Amino acid sequence: MAGVLLVSAAVVFLVVYQDTGSQLEGEIDRDISGDTSQLLQSLQGVRGKSLAQIQAAAIDYVRAQPYTATSTLLFVLLPGGATASNHPEVFGSLRPQPGETVSEQFIENAEGRRLLVPRIGYSVAPVPDVGRTRIFERRADLGTTQLIAGSGEPLALVERAQHGVARAFVLAGGVVLVLALLASYLAGARVSAPLRRMAQVATRVDAGDLGPRMEITGRRLDEVRVLAEAFNRMLDRLAEAFSSQREFVADASHELRTPLTVISGQLEVLAAQENPSSEDIVRVERLARAEITRISRLVDDLLVLAQAERTDFLRVESVDLGPFVTDLWDGLTLTAERRFELGEIADGSLRADPDRLAQALRNLARNAIEHTAEPDGVVRLDVRPLAPDRVSFVVSDDGPGIPEHERERVFERFHRTDSGRTRATGGAGLGLAIVRAIAEAHKGVVRVRDAPNGHGASIDLVLPGFHRAEVSSGRR
Ligand SMILES: Nc1ncnc2c1ncn2[C@@H]1O[C@H](COP(=O)(O)OP(=O)(O)O)[C@@H](O)[C@H]1O
Ligand SMILES: [Mg+2]
């Protein structure tokens, strides 16, 4: 700030200084050329007269306008070294004036002699007792006599004005510079104070403490405030992600521990017997195998959820919906005793990963099977096209249904409703979380819908990327 101010003040100063000088000099130049013309004008009256007469006329004219510090110096140079001037000192009065030393007078005389050398036009010369002087000289021909008339004005006025400008600039510039420095320091401190507080918070967060938040101050569109708000939101999300991660690991460990406890308990029972019967061995083996299956399924589910975050989760291809859904459904009907119903299937193909899609539909159907009674509970699948390019898979059943307040939460990892928790057959609560992960990977959605006839559950998986079959190809 100080540097920029100093440089700009210096530039302005130079311009004003120069401009003041050249303006005043311009005025001086106009004055002295006018004065010279008037002098010559007055001498026209003695045109053709003798040198002595001309000199006398010139002396009369210039004496009538005696030289003072603020008026114009007038002089005439005549042939043969004769001169006339309104300032008697100029061309060497030989005696020193009162208060002047002989050597000073000597220098002044030398300056005066130099004025005797004609310098036609504008020039600057030192003049005794006057200082640097702007001089204008013109040659004139009065018939009998050639002469040079000139006038001059001291440059001291210009110099005084320029010194005034310089003094004003140094004074005002100094004050302005100090004020500007003070103001910029205060402004800088004001702007950087919230940044310093933010830096403190960021350092604490960096050290591992997710607790502190940035103080929100300032106007709504203030960049610092926007930054603080964004940072706080990021911290909120980080803290949330960390805690959900912790919860997830804790839930997963808990789910794994239960079957492991069962297996180790059974093995202990078996080991406590000296001579276990073969029935006991078979029983324990069957129990252990069931628990190991549970563990494997849980690990598989965890793996799928972990992979779902990756970009190469899906292997998308064109899936011909007719055969795909029929095959899937035929396989499912073999796994349980229910009234399986398959509605009309949208005719066309879907851009999807067939393995993941099958997994999602199997999870939905398995839930429906788990929540319906054997043998005539209804488990139904409908595959309908939706405009513009989506397709909806609805798995519904006539079981107890999903209560309104659970409809969002059933998709959370490890979330089970109370009825799901008591069931021995129930999973770990990852089935619907996987369905949602697969739906989102396909840029689709899954949600619990109102059951069509007031009871039972109905879950709708909607995926984009559906292409209707050409009408001409007809139905399969
Ligand atoms: N068809 C359904 N009818 C009633 N409740 C269901 C149905 N599908 C899912 N649920 C409830 O949603 C919860 C979450 O389902 P899910 O994620 O598949 O976990 P899990 O089947 O392992 O319990 C289950 O505990 C269950 O209570
Ligand atoms: Mg399930």
Side-chain angles (χ1 to χ4, degrees):
M1 278 286 286
V4 170
L5 259 171
L6 216 71
V7 170
S8 25
V11 169
V12 172
F13 168 71
L14 278 180
V15 169
V16 173
Y17 189 86
Q18 287 290 331
D19 196 53
T20 309
S22 54
Q23 251 182 46
L24 289 174
E25 268 169 18
E27 265 171 44
I28 288 176
D29 285 357
R30 272 194 301 283
D31 277 359
I32 54 182
S33 91
D35 290 341
T36 309
S37 301
Q38 273 179 18
L39 171 56
L40 286 174
Q41 194 69 41
S42 76
L43 292 183
Q44 288 303 322
V46 286
R47 166 175 280 278
K49 303 277 172 61
S50 70
L51 174 61
Q53 279 171 316
I54 289 175
Q55 186 177 15
I59 288 172
D60 275 353
Y61 180 82
V62 298
R63 291 267 161 88
Q65 302 175 44
Y67 176 78
T68 67
T70 51
S71 66
T72 310
L73 169 72
L74 297 171
F75 59 89
V76 179
L77 304 180
L78 294 156
T83 59
S85 167
N86 63 346
H87 181 24
E89 290 276 305
V90 169
F91 299 114
S93 97
L94 295 175
R95 273 178 296 108
Q97 281 175 310
E100 276 180 348
T101 63
V102 178
S103 62
E104 276 168 354
Q105 184 62 41
F106 180 78
I107 293 171
E108 284 182 1
N109 289 345
E111 285 174 349
R113 271 197 301 281
R114 252 184 278 150
L115 280 182
L116 292 173
V117 180
R119 266 170 298 200
I120 306 304
Y122 290 105
S123 62
V124 175
V127 169
D129 288 338
V130 178
R132 268 159 46 80
T133 304
R134 183 81 167 155
I135 290 174
F136 180 72
E137 291 181 10
R138 259 174 71 184
R139 217 181 273 285
D141 187 351
L142 292 185
T144 49
T145 315
Q146 304 272 325
L147 59 75
I148 287 171
S151 59
E153 275 185 17
L155 284 174
L157 199 68
V158 178
E159 279 154 14
R160 260 207 308 283
Q162 285 184 324
H163 285 156
V165 168
R167 218 175 17 252
F169 256 91
V170 168
L171 265 174
V175 170
V176 166
L177 201 68
V178 168
L179 285 180
L181 275 179
L182 205 70
S184 55
Y185 174 80
L186 290 178
R190 217 180 111 88
V191 168
S192 66
L195 289 179
R196 278 199 302 274
R197 283 198 299 275
M198 287 165 98
Q200 278 169 7
V201 172
T203 313
R204 277 172 62 195
V205 170
D206 186 37
D209 179 6
L210 285 185
R213 289 291 180 275
M214 287 177 178
E215 182 187 336
I216 306 291
T217 51
R219 278 167 293 110
R220 263 156 74 63
L221 292 178
D222 192 315
E223 295 92 333
V224 175
R225 184 192 168 122
V226 170
L227 180 62
E229 282 172 346
F231 191 85
N232 284 351
R233 272 199 302 277
M234 184 185 78
L235 281 182
D236 288 346
R237 279 220 304 281
L238 263 183
E240 213 179 279
F242 276 142
S243 91
S244 92
Q245 191 76 16
R246 265 197 300 274
E247 236 170 71
F248 181 64
V249 171
D251 288 342
S253 319
H254 180 74
E255 292 295 332
L256 283 169
R257 195 159 53 213
T258 316
L260 288 174
T261 313
V262 173
I263 293 172
S264 90
Q266 293 296 329
L267 287 179
E268 259 168 47
V269 170
L270 200 60
Q273 298 176 18
E274 244 172 53
N275 261 325
S277 65
S278 58
E279 293 98 84
D280 277 343
I281 296 180
V282 169
R283 186 181 55 80
V284 169
E285 195 255 34
R286 202 180 303 127
L287 266 169
R289 196 172 291 284
E291 293 304 327
I292 288 171
T293 310
R294 242 174 117 90
I295 294 176
S296 306
R297 215 170 53 213
L298 183 61
V299 169
D300 286 346
D301 285 354
L302 289 176
L303 274 178
V304 171
L305 284 174
Q307 282 166 3
E309 325 244 295
R310 293 171 39 164
T311 46
D312 59 352
F313 177 52
L314 297 182
R315 271 194 217 101
V316 174
E317 55 187 77
S318 179
V319 179
D320 194 356
L321 279 185
F324 172 80
V325 172
T326 321
D327 288 354
L328 180 83
W329 203 247
D330 288 349
L332 274 165
T333 54
L334 299 177
T335 61
E337 194 74 25
R338 299 286 186 283
R339 264 171 52 202
F340 285 101
E341 297 175 3
L342 181 56
E344 197 162 291
I345 305 168
D347 194 12
S349 64
L350 180 67
R351 299 286 308 164
D353 181 331
D355 294 339
R356 298 302 182 198
L357 178 56
Q359 185 177 19
L361 293 175
R362 248 185 253 122
N363 281 1
L364 294 178
R366 224 176 270 137
N367 279 351
I369 292 169
E370 280 165 15
H371 291 87
T372 46
E374 198 174 348
D376 53 2
V378 177
V379 174
R380 183 183 168 88
L381 172 63
D382 288 283
V383 183
R384 297 195 196 93
L386 296 179
D389 71 330
R390 290 173 304 156
V391 63
S392 139
F393 301 86
V394 180
V395 178
S396 41
D397 61 57
D398 62 351
I402 301 172
E404 191 84 38
H405 65 276
E406 293 277 5
R407 290 193 172 177
E408 197 35 55
R409 304 192 58 200
V410 288
F411 293 104
E412 288 171 12
R413 295 164 173 195
F414 296 112
H415 183 81
R416 281 170 295 194
T417 61
D418 289 337
S419 71
R421 205 171 290 278
T422 51
R423 272 167 191 273
T425 50
L430 291 179
L432 289 180
I434 288 174
V435 175
R436 184 167 69 176
I438 291 172
E440 284 172 357
H442 282 92
K443 307 215 181 321
V445 290
V446 59
R447 56 177 178 260
V448 176
R449 293 211 320 197
D450 290 328
N453 25 353
H455 67 286
S458 180
I459 296 182
D460 189 5
L461 168 65
V462 178
L463 299 185
F466 176 65
H467 293 276
R468 270 165 220 272
E470 298 291 316
V471 180
S472 60
S473 73
R475 262 198 71 79
R476 217 164 324 269

